[in-house]
Amino acid sequence: MPEAAARPVSLTLPQTVGQEMVELMRELFPLCRSLTGNGVRETLKILDDVLPLEVTEVPSGTPIFDWTVPREWNISDAWIADAEGRRIVDFRESNLHVLGYSRPVRAVLTGAELQEHLHSVPDHPDWIPVRTAYWADTWGFCVADAQRQAIEPDARYEVCIDSRLEDGHLTYAEALLPGASKDEVLLSTYICHPSLCNDNLSGIAVLAFAGKHLSGLDLRYSYRFLFSPSTVGPLTWLSRNLDRLDRVRHGLAVSCVGDAGVVRYKRSRRGTAEIDRAAEHVLRSSRPDAIVDEFVPWGSDERQFCSPGFDLPFGALTRTPHGLYPEYHSSADDFEIVRAESLADSLSVLLEILTVLERNDVCVNRSPCGEPQLGRRGLYREISAGVPRGEEAFQRAILWVLNLSDGDCSLLDIADRAGIPFGVVADAADALRRVNLIERTVE
Ligand code: ZN
């Protein structure tokens, strides 16, 4: 059987990796993240222990394409108190209670006036919805509908939002793992959601652990991990890296990867980029239930990287994506819906996709006139009944690689056409390269 491949990304993950990701999420969960502010900085500080990060601070007011870096938002407390001074809604119990980016307020209102500033979801009366007002000058509270119904229209309530909305910075961080090539694989997730699990923390945990896993490996590509606030974060990064975007050979936005749903891949705008084909191959060959979606110009941060001015080969890896699970953007997106085994499986899928990118060579057959004699090179086993299936696939892969290595077809092309898992085809190519029957077109 073939020796170890030339460019493997080791897929051996510790059995505890799912649980380790849950523990990281538990550490990050209480922080009040937003588009900007100290919750983001504290999040990055914790992540730095898993994957060393380089933090960038961009001043408020900086123009970013059609946007502007907003003012920085920080909050220390917020509450609604009844006439007796009892806190009936308390930021200290859940940071979801405050409309994100609320301006500071201290006022006494009637219940009827207060209603104008409340958000709830009547269909799920116990859930606190998550709402933000990044680009509006307003304030509000998000409450369980049951709490809202208890507000008496004529009673008086005192409200306090002890927030600061002032010139500061937008914070993002990246980690670069250098490989043999300066060409990069860019992996991105957002860091702007407060205490939410699947939508946000799962993506952060999987990317941080992917980086930890890849650190120190002998890599073909350089890997850049980007942790930034949604939308304006990737746009800020793009605006500061315009002169080097041609290095981004492959990209993936990773989010919502901790729930029990099946793995899902959304194609890039290009639709047939290598990342699209690698992801689809991995999903089709190892996870038959997985879903592959066509590109649409909405969703997560992939839509910025895939906007026409960049058109980067950027797909999105999720389990159940944004908006397609009922707990989305509510207090019910908690540890109940996230599973250690789903996180571990998502990490594994991600690494399998990266492995395809790492090993996807184009080769040339150095003995193309007729089949070369494989027996004297130790590569021939008769395909017949009784040969283990793995070995049979390997033998067929040898013949496919020899036949299609014309300097044009990649190993992924060959795997797709042959209907053989990529890893088997790449192992066959390694074996053929060792006996000098094929060579890479680019070393
Ligand atoms: Zn979200």
Side-chain angles (χ1 to χ4, degrees):
M1 288 303 286
E3 295 166 25
R7 286 172 182 159
V9 171
S10 166
L11 288 175
T12 318
L13 291 165
Q15 277 203 326
T16 53
V17 73
Q19 198 51 44
E20 288 174 53
M21 286 189 272
V22 170
E23 279 157 29
L24 174 63
M25 289 170 61
R26 286 196 187 280
E27 201 179 343
L28 296 171
F29 186 79
L31 298 173
C32 186
R33 281 165 292 274
S34 186
L35 209 56
T36 59
N38 291 328
V40 168
R41 292 190 187 95
E42 287 163 38
T43 297
L44 296 174
K45 207 177 286 175
I46 291 171
L47 289 180
D48 187 71
D49 287 340
V50 182
L51 178 66
L53 295 171
E54 187 182 318
V55 174
T56 301
E57 301 270 2
V58 182
S60 304
T62 306
I64 305 290
F65 305 113
D66 200 40
W67 302 68
T68 305
V69 172
R71 286 182 292 168
E72 181 176 327
W73 187 70
N74 285 290
I75 179 164
S76 34
D77 199 6
W79 41 264
I80 302 173
D82 64 13
E84 279 75 51
R86 286 184 302 240
R87 287 189 178 204
I88 56 169
V89 173
D90 191 349
F91 175 78
R92 293 175 304 191
E93 280 171 17
S94 169
N95 60 32
L96 307 185
H97 275 313
V98 174
L99 176 74
Y101 258 66
S102 282
R103 64 173 149 84
V105 63
R106 184 91 192 233
V108 176
L109 306 173
T110 65
E113 290 167 331
L114 177 59
Q115 285 288 353
E116 313 260 301
H117 293 275
L118 298 183
H119 305 265
S120 65
V121 270
D123 289 350
H124 296 284
D126 298 329
W127 296 0
I128 306 166
V130 177
R131 300 282 184 270
T132 57
Y134 297 141
W135 311 101
D137 183 16
T138 185
W139 62 270
F141 284 89
C142 304
V143 297
D145 201 59
Q147 283 175 304
R148 186 177 190 170
Q149 297 307 328
I151 301 282
E152 293 169 35
D154 299 326
R156 297 183 81 73
Y157 296 88
E158 187 173 8
V159 296
C160 168
I161 296 180
D162 186 5
S163 65
R164 281 171 292 129
L165 194 50
E166 55 204 5
D167 282 347
H169 293 84
L170 176 146
T171 312
Y172 71 81
E174 54 199 313
L176 179 68
L177 306 180
S181 166
K182 283 196 164 35
D183 287 344
E184 289 180 11
V185 179
L186 177 58
L187 302 166
S188 172
T189 197
Y190 47 89
I191 50 167
C192 52
H193 288 37
S195 297
L196 293 176
C197 271
N198 194 40
D199 180 20
N200 208 183
L201 289 182
S202 68
I204 293 175
V206 166
L207 271 206
F209 272 74
K212 180 183 177 185
H213 183 79
L214 294 177
S215 296
L217 291 183
D218 191 9
L219 299 164
R220 169 191 204 165
Y221 289 110
S222 296
Y223 285 80
R224 188 176 296 276
F225 293 81
L226 176 62
F227 299 88
S228 72
S230 193
T231 304
V232 75
L235 289 176
T236 303
W237 184 88
L238 284 160
S239 74
R240 295 166 64 90
N241 289 277
L242 283 175
D243 56 344
R244 46 181 307 290
L245 292 182
D246 56 340
R247 285 193 199 164
V248 180
R249 292 289 307 279
H250 315 284
L252 260 182
V254 177
S255 64
C256 297
V257 280
D259 65 283
V262 299
V263 178
R264 210 156 162 144
Y265 176 77
K266 173 182 160 183
R267 290 179 193 275
S268 72
R269 179 179 185 269
R270 300 182 190 182
T272 55
E274 193 176 338
I275 183 72
D276 299 318
R277 300 198 37 237
E280 181 162 0
H281 181 93
V282 166
L283 266 47
R284 296 251 183 273
S285 57
S286 68
R287 285 157 180 84
D289 296 337
I291 297 169
V292 176
D293 293 311
E294 293 300 333
F295 175 77
V296 289
W298 56 86
S300 193
D301 286 336
E302 69 281 358
R303 65 193 205 277
Q304 308 309 333
F305 298 105
C306 289
S307 58
F310 310 121
D311 194 21
L312 293 174
F314 228 93
L317 185 68
T318 62
R319 298 187 88 86
T320 310
H322 298 81
L324 293 187
Y325 58 99
E327 299 88 352
Y328 172 73
H329 279 192
S330 83
S331 54
D333 186 345
D334 60 13
F335 287 96
E336 292 282 305
I337 66 162
V338 164
R339 299 177 177 192
E341 52 276 27
S342 297
L343 290 163
D345 183 58
S346 301
L347 175 59
S348 175
V349 171
L350 173 60
L351 293 173
E352 285 171 51
I353 294 169
L354 300 181
T355 302
V356 173
L357 300 176
E358 284 282 307
R359 299 183 75 190
N360 188 23
D361 292 312
V362 175
C363 299
V364 177
N365 183 344
R366 302 180 71 205
S367 180
C369 298
E371 253 177 35
Q373 210 181 351
L374 296 172
R376 68 182 159 87
R377 296 176 172 93
L379 287 178
Y380 181 73
R381 280 290 300 273
E382 196 174 349
I383 298 172
S384 62
V387 175
R389 274 178 59 186
E391 224 169 293
E392 182 186 327
F394 180 73
Q395 195 66 48
R396 290 192 196 281
I398 290 270
L399 299 176
W400 275 112
V401 172
L402 281 171
N403 191 282
L404 292 180
S405 285
D406 53 6
D408 203 19
C409 284
S410 70
L411 297 180
L412 181 56
D413 295 330
I414 296 172
D416 278 341
R417 184 160 169 190
I420 297 174
F422 177 85
V424 178
V425 170
D427 286 348
D430 285 342
L432 288 166
R433 205 160 36 232
R434 276 195 296 273
V435 297
N436 294 319
L437 280 175
I438 63 169
E439 63 186 354
R440 290 184 184 123
T441 54
V442 181
E443 271 308 315

